[in-house]
DNA sequence: CGGCATCCGCTAGGATACTG
DNA sequence: CAGTATCCTAGCGGATGCCG
């Protein structure tokens, strides 16, 4: 793991554009990922459709405001589909779209990688903090 | 693309932990990715070692403060190595560590995916905005 | 050259209250 | 139940100035 030489060929990161990565669409993705509830919402929805309340309960500690905002943004980007059942009281169900599932798969890859790397990073941080602490 | 049925099996996103994704280390990664200069810095460094000034010029528009902060955090996490040449004036060179290169590869995968998905997302946004605009 | 230190505006996001 | 609306604050990140 992490061989200096044999490691995976690094696909080209640079030619994406100079200004920001707006042109390649990366910014749009990172904006979502930067929001702290997006990944957990995707995780929960990747297990199947959920109603608003179910999601809220699953994502312990989320505020109503952020629940709605997160879902709206995911919906706007086409990752999540919203079905309204106009009953009384109303029932609203959310589920991943094909694109959303594809997105979730990407995130899952990231999760897998971070699992493998977690220990290294924590060790690196500890060592870094120790070095700067003593000085 | 984006078939509902044949699509990649979705690696399990959920069992990462209930609280946040702290336990699987995802949060650490997302924290970096959330910062707007991290990806561009990785991109530039994936082309080879760079001096502070070179990076600053490559990342058009970055402030000194963020250049330093971004590099420090990447260094702390073990993605970037910092070499100081104690000459006068001093020369400081940054380069990716093996872990950093591995990280860059992950990001590159994300870039590739976002390239393919960009059009879909933009279309989805346009349609969403149109719908909410008319109402 | 390669940085810190400081001030400061903006926005992400929590808490709270109200509605169809 | 499934939201909207409002208020409020902590922190990210830009601008500026100073230093070895």
């Amino acid at each position: 793991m992490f061989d200096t030489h044999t490691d995976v060929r690094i696909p080209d990161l640079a030619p994406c554009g100079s200004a920001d990565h707006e042109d390649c669409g990366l910014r749009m993705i990172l904006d979502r990922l930067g929001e702290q509830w997006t990944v957990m919402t995707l995780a929960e929805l990747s297990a199947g459709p959920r109603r608003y309340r179910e999601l809220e309960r699953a994502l312990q500690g989320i505020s109503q405001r952020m629940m709605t905002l997160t879902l709206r943004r995911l919906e706007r980007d086409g990752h999540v589909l919203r079905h309204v059942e106009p009953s009384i009281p109303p029932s609203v169900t959310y589920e991943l779209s094909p694109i959303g599932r594809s997105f979730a798969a990407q995130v899952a890859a990231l999760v897998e990688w971070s699992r493998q790397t977690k220990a290294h990073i924590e060790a690196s941080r500890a060592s870094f903090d120790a070095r700067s602490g003593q000085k």
Side-chain angles (χ1 to χ4, degrees), chain A residues 73-135:
Chain A
R73 298 199 266 230
L74 285 174
E75 187 196 358
R76 187 172 109 103
D77 283 8
H79 297 305
V80 156
L81 302 173
R82 180 171 179 266
H83 302 290
V84 181
E85 202 58 49
S87 50
I88 296 184
S91 165
V92 181
T93 310
Y94 295 88
E95 75 178 308
L96 290 184
S97 73
I99 295 182
R101 247 170 284 124
S102 158
F103 188 25
Q106 294 301 315
V107 175
L110 219 55
V111 170
E112 188 46 36
W113 182 83
S114 57
R115 266 214 197 88
Q116 292 168 13
T117 320
K118 186 193 181 200
H120 294 269
I121 295 187
E122 280 174 344
S124 176
R125 287 191 181 178
S127 143
F128 183 94
D129 293 346
R131 262 171 301 168
S132 52
Q134 73 180 112
K135 279 188 298 187

Side-chain angles (χ1 to χ4, degrees), chain A residues 23-40:
Chain A
D23 32 339
C24 72
L26 224 209
R27 201 65 255 166
M28 302 191 303
I29 311 303
L30 294 183
D31 283 347
R32 289 303 128 261
L33 288 182
E35 294 150 13
Q36 54 191 138
W37 297 104
T38 301
V39 173
M40 295 191 62

Side-chain angles (χ1 to χ4, degrees), chain A residues 51-89:
Chain A
R51 294 184 56 174
Y52 185 93
R53 275 292 202 178
E54 292 180 308
L55 280 172
E56 209 179 4
R57 269 187 287 266
L59 280 55
Q60 281 251 337
I62 193 174
S63 64
Q64 250 178 21
R65 174 188 154 84
M66 287 321 293
M67 183 77 262
T68 302
L69 267 182
T70 302
L71 286 169
R72 281 293 173 286
R73 298 199 266 230
L74 285 174
E75 187 196 358
R76 187 172 109 103
D77 283 8
H79 297 305
V80 156
L81 302 173
R82 180 171 179 266
H83 302 290
V84 181
E85 202 58 49
S87 50
I88 296 184

